[in-house]
Amino acid sequence: MSSESESNEDILNKRRKGVVRPQTYKRNIIKESRTHGKEYINYKGRKICQKTPHEIKCKCPAKCFKFITKEVLSDIWTTFYSMENKNSQDTYLQSLIEKKKIKRRTKSKMLTPTTENRNETNNRVVDEIDDEQLECDDQNVQKNNFKQQNSYVYKLRVNGEFFTVCKNVFIATHGITADRVRRLTFLLSNNKMPEDKRGKNISGNAIPGDICVKIHQHINRFSVKNTHYGGKPKKYLDARLNIVKMHQMFVKDYPDLAVKVKYNFYYKYFKENFNYTFGRPQVDVCSQCESLNTKIRDPALSESAKRGAAGELILHKRRAKNFYTKLNTAKENKDDNTVVLCFDYMSNLPLPNIPVQEVFYMRQLWVNIFCIHDVKTNQAKMYMYHEGEASKSPNEVCSFLLHYFENCIPDNTKNIILFSDGAAGQNKNHTIVRFLMNLCDRGKFEAITHFFPVRGHSFLPCDRDFGSIKRLLRKTDRIYTPQQYAQLIIEASRCSRFSVHEVQTNEILRFKNWWPFSYKKTVKSDETSRRGIHKDDRITFKISSYKQFIFRHRLPGKVEVKTFNNGLSSSTFTFRKTNQSPDLPTTKAYPIGKVPINKKKLKT
């Protein structure tokens, strides 16, 4: 048993790579022990005993030690050595020392002038000096010729009162040295606060700051890419780089620093100040970006074709960036009447999730998770259900959004800003457009704006939430029930950002069959539907070609659309068939109470 305990202690005490433990450094142990008067082993290996209060004796005429009983001495000792650090102790001691001017001086304490000074004084021509100047010089000489410029009064604080004691009693009561008191009085005479400077001398082998600045600037020259998934932002350098190559480039740029800046120091500086990862994992890459980059790198293409592809790539990325600019602007919106939301589906989760090989070849039950993320508060609500309770259709998306609007946002909300990807069967379809339009028409909100990203650049806060959840799920071996998934989702956020709503089948309403009775499907834009415009020039509503939808209460039955986020041109379409806005549906999407599961999954 003893050997096992010793091995466990060795494992706990073993330092991990990159983990700093300054509390285990010998110099810090000695410094801490001296501050609190504890026993320690000095640098020479000698054992220094613990400081303890001892009986105080004083030969001064005032007999200032008489009022210091054992209880008083113990209280002063405990108070002094329980302070956090040496600076606190020195500040406390200095507050007990009072500086006073010397009232009477004796000639015995004057400095004896040297022969050189005496000769200079004798050789001065008195006739050339004014009487006032001579008198001023005499005062300065008399002032500077004394060894001690001030006297000091030492006090002890007992039960809130101060008692004057001699220097020896002051030193013995606190268990300090005369040199320490001498340093404090010197600082007090110069109106300075004590500062612990032990171990702060600059080493002769230290790299100067200007060289560190050059290293920092050199590392900043390399282009960095950010990851979009995961709880924390992470930066990546090019996969073809490594620290050895970067150090070689630095030495090539600064050959005069090759001796001073070795690889080990460059590596340490990189890890402590940057710690980038090399090679960003490519996930959900934009097909257009990949195609244009391939054209730019293609040696068979001409320079003009490559320049055209490069210009097209720049324009494509600028349009994609507009979506994130809108997202960041909405996040900084401080209007209490505006709510900013992102919503999306997470990838399906298998049930059960167990490490059995045969399960991989079987048809498993899928668990669906729909996330609505509040961008301002950074809170996320997860709607969880399995495929036997509901599907992944516009009915579910509209039902979840309606539930969130009715239960999770303030009553004074007037404006809604939505961000989602352009999945046609879920987030971007005619049902969603009519649902949001109806909310504004009936006065639920004054305005709703819905933004969609460029395809391939749809990295939303929901994706970061999903990354945090998946990171925890990978550490869990066995999951048998949806309730276990719900508990893991809640635990995935350390600051309790996630909440889970377990969806019931009767909560899903039939939105998909509701809107065709009151809204048109295909319409022409209001700007091109008037007379005098050729039919080929008229703009037809094509939902897949628009990135921004704006619904307003003052324009019932209408939607303003833009081809690009923050675009200049826009079109307005009118969908309502009558002047009266219909009520939201109350019919259940699944009247039988459950969704039929694929029969193949029911086979054993």
Side-chain angles (χ1 to χ4, degrees):
M1 292 295 291
S2 60
S3 60
E4 291 181 2
S5 61
E6 290 177 358
S7 61
N8 292 333
E9 290 180 0
D10 293 339
I11 293 173
L12 293 174
N13 294 329
K14 186 177 180 181
R15 186 176 72 87
R16 292 175 57 192
K17 184 178 180 181
V19 177
V20 181
R21 295 178 181 174
Q23 67 274 12
T24 61
Y25 296 170
K26 186 175 182 179
R27 64 175 182 269
N28 291 337
I29 294 174
I30 294 175
K31 188 185 296 185
E32 187 76 10
S33 301
R34 291 184 63 183
T35 301
H36 297 95
K38 298 179 181 178
E39 179 182 310
Y40 65 93
I41 306 297
N42 65 7
Y43 291 105
K44 295 183 179 180
R46 291 170 52 190
K47 181 179 179 181
I48 307 300
C49 298
Q50 181 179 357
K51 287 186 177 182
T52 55
H54 55 275
E55 185 180 356
I56 298 175
K57 293 183 179 180
C58 177
K59 297 181 180 180
C60 68
K63 303 295 181 182
C64 53
F65 65 91
K66 287 186 176 181
F67 74 94
I68 303 177
T69 61
K70 290 184 178 180
E71 292 77 9
V72 172
L73 179 60
S74 177
D75 292 342
I76 295 175
W77 192 276
T78 304
T79 302
F80 180 72
Y81 283 102
S82 62
M83 293 184 180
E84 184 178 1
N85 49 43
K86 187 174 182 295
N87 283 334
S88 302
Q89 292 180 349
D90 288 345
T91 304
Y92 168 75
L93 292 173
Q94 197 180 60
S95 66
L96 299 176
I97 303 174
E98 182 181 356
K99 180 181 70 173
K100 289 187 176 183
K101 291 184 179 180
I102 298 177
K103 296 181 179 180
R104 187 177 64 179
R105 299 181 182 273
T106 60
K107 293 184 179 181
S108 61
K109 293 186 178 181
M110 290 184 64
L111 291 172
T112 305
T114 61
T115 305
E116 183 179 355
N117 292 337
R118 191 182 298 113
N119 293 335
E120 289 181 359
T121 305
N122 295 334
N123 293 333
R124 293 178 62 186
V125 181
V126 181
D127 296 339
E128 298 179 0
I129 303 176
D130 297 336
D131 294 339
E132 295 180 359
Q133 182 68 29
L134 184 60
E135 183 179 355
C136 182
D137 289 347
D138 291 340
Q139 292 178 358
N140 292 334
V141 170
Q142 185 178 2
K143 179 180 178 181
N144 295 327
N145 278 346
F146 288 98
K147 294 180 180 179
Q148 188 174 356
Q149 301 296 330
N150 301 294
S151 63
Y152 302 95
V153 178
Y154 303 92
K155 298 181 180 181
L156 295 179
R157 187 174 182 178
V158 180
N159 297 328
E161 297 182 5
F162 291 95
F163 296 90
T164 303
V165 295
C166 65
K167 182 178 179 180
N168 292 332
V169 172
F170 183 80
I171 291 174
T173 305
H174 295 95
I176 57 178
T177 61
D179 289 338
R180 187 170 181 179
V181 175
R182 190 180 301 111
R183 170 177 169 268
L184 294 175
T185 55
F186 175 78
L187 294 173
L188 184 62
S189 63
N190 290 280
N191 297 322
K192 293 182 179 180
M193 294 293 293
E195 181 182 358
D196 187 10
K197 296 184 179 181
R198 295 176 298 173
K200 295 184 179 180
N201 293 334
I202 299 176
S203 173
N205 298 324
I207 303 295
D210 56 340
I211 296 180
C212 294
V213 171
K214 291 180 180 179
I215 297 174
H216 201 95
Q217 293 174 350
H218 179 263
I219 298 175
N220 278 331
R221 294 179 191 173
F222 298 96
S223 59
V224 179
K225 295 182 179 180
N226 298 324
T227 181
H228 300 281
Y229 296 111
K232 295 182 180 180
K234 197 172 183 179
K235 296 183 178 181
Y236 295 87
L237 291 169
D238 194 287
R240 294 168 291 181
L241 284 174
N242 55 48
I243 301 180
V244 175
K245 292 181 180 179
M246 294 171 66
H247 177 255
Q248 292 173 354
M249 295 178 186
F250 177 81
V251 173
K252 187 177 180 180
D253 293 342
Y254 303 97
D256 54 326
L257 300 179
V259 178
K260 291 186 177 181
V261 182
K262 300 293 184 181
Y263 169 76
N264 290 337
F265 180 78
Y266 190 92
Y267 175 86
K268 182 180 179 182
Y269 189 88
F270 178 84
K271 287 294 184 182
E272 291 179 353
N273 296 275
F274 294 91
N275 198 20
Y276 295 156
T277 304
F278 295 93
R280 182 179 63 166
Q282 299 293 309
V283 181
D284 297 338
V285 179
C286 174
S287 59
Q288 188 171 355
C289 290
E290 193 70 14
S291 175
L292 293 174
N293 282 321
T294 304
K295 290 181 180 180
I296 294 172
R297 294 192 297 265
D298 190 356
L301 289 179
S302 62
E303 291 298 326
S304 60
K306 290 182 179 180
R307 285 195 295 270
E312 189 177 350
L313 179 62
I314 293 173
L315 180 61
H316 171 72
K317 288 186 175 181
R318 285 181 180 176
R319 288 174 175 173
K321 190 176 180 180
N322 285 336
F323 176 80
Y324 298 104
T325 303
K326 286 289 184 182
L327 181 60
N328 294 330
T329 303
K331 184 178 181 179
E332 297 173 358
N333 190 336
K334 297 182 180 179
D335 185 8
D336 296 335
N337 297 326
T338 302
V339 174
V340 184
L341 303 175
C342 294
F343 59 91
D344 195 10
Y345 266 104
M346 185 178 176
S347 57
N348 296 342
L349 300 176
L351 191 73
N353 186 9
I354 54 179
V356 178
Q357 185 177 8
E358 286 77 4
V359 175
F360 179 79
Y361 302 98
M362 294 181 178
R363 298 175 182 268
Q364 293 174 277
L365 191 68
W366 293 115
V367 175
N368 303 318
I369 296 177
F370 182 79
C371 172
I372 301 180
H373 181 102
D374 192 323
V375 177
K376 285 187 174 182
T377 62
N378 203 26
Q379 300 290 320
K381 191 175 187 66
M382 307 291 177
Y383 291 84
M384 188 189 71
Y385 59 96
H386 61 75
E387 60 178 311
E389 295 174 328
S391 303
K392 294 174 70 173
S393 68
N395 289 332
E396 283 75 16
V397 176
C398 293
S399 299
F400 299 151
L401 288 175
L402 181 61
H403 179 273
Y404 192 90
F405 291 154
E406 292 178 347
N407 298 279
C408 301
I409 64 174
D411 296 334
N412 61 342
T413 302
K414 297 181 180 179
N415 301 314
I416 299 290
I417 302 177
L418 300 175
F419 296 88
S420 69
D421 60 11
Q426 300 162 3
N427 306 332
K428 192 177 183 181
N429 49 65
H430 291 280
T431 304
I432 294 291
V433 171
R434 275 63 173 189
F435 166 67
L436 298 178
M437 183 186 299
N438 184 270
L439 293 177
C440 287
D441 292 350
R442 294 189 301 109
K444 177 72 174 176
F445 306 110
E446 292 184 359
I448 298 177
T449 306
H450 196 175
F451 293 97
F452 293 94
V454 175
R455 186 175 182 180
H457 297 270
S458 57
F459 305 108
L460 298 171
C462 295
D463 297 316
R464 295 186 177 91
D465 297 338
F466 299 153
S468 300
I469 295 171
K470 290 178 181 178
R471 194 160 47 246
L472 180 60
L473 294 180
R474 284 194 293 267
K475 300 177 183 178
T476 307
D477 294 333
R478 293 167 177 81
I479 302 175
Y480 296 99
T481 63
Q483 288 71 26
Q484 288 180 273
Y485 271 123
Q487 185 62 32
L488 290 172
I489 291 172
I490 295 173
E491 295 174 358
S493 175
R494 296 180 180 178
C495 51
S496 303
R497 295 191 300 109
F498 300 156
S499 60
V500 178
H501 176 78
E502 297 187 24
V503 179
Q504 303 297 325
T505 306
N506 56 9
E507 297 180 49
I508 310 302
L509 303 178
R510 184 173 292 179
F511 283 90
K512 200 171 181 179
N513 299 332
W514 154 77
W515 66 268
F517 297 100
S518 303
Y519 296 98
K520 302 175 184 177
K521 181 177 181 180
T522 304
V523 294
K524 305 292 183 180
S525 67
D526 295 351
E527 294 82 3
T528 61
S529 60
R530 62 181 182 272
R531 293 182 179 180
I533 298 178
H534 194 271
K535 63 178 182 179
D536 295 337
D537 297 332
R538 294 181 178 179
I539 301 175
T540 305
F541 181 75
K542 297 179 180 179
I543 190 171
S544 60
S545 60
Y546 304 119
K547 302 298 181 186
Q548 183 176 350
F549 295 78
I550 305 173
F551 309 90
R552 295 185 177 90
H553 175 63
R554 58 183 176 84
L555 298 175
K558 297 180 181 292
V559 58
E560 180 184 350
V561 297
K562 294 184 179 181
T563 308
F564 304 105
N565 290 315
N566 204 22
L568 298 177
S569 61
S570 63
S571 301
T572 305
F573 296 90
T574 303
F575 290 98
R576 202 166 63 178
K577 294 180 180 179
T578 62
N579 295 330
Q580 188 68 24
S581 298
D583 295 332
L584 291 174
T586 56
T587 307
K588 308 299 180 184
Y590 308 103
I592 61 175
K594 294 293 180 183
V595 179
I597 299 177
N598 190 345
K599 294 182 179 180
K600 295 180 180 179
K601 292 190 176 185
L602 301 177
K603 293 182 179 180
T604 57

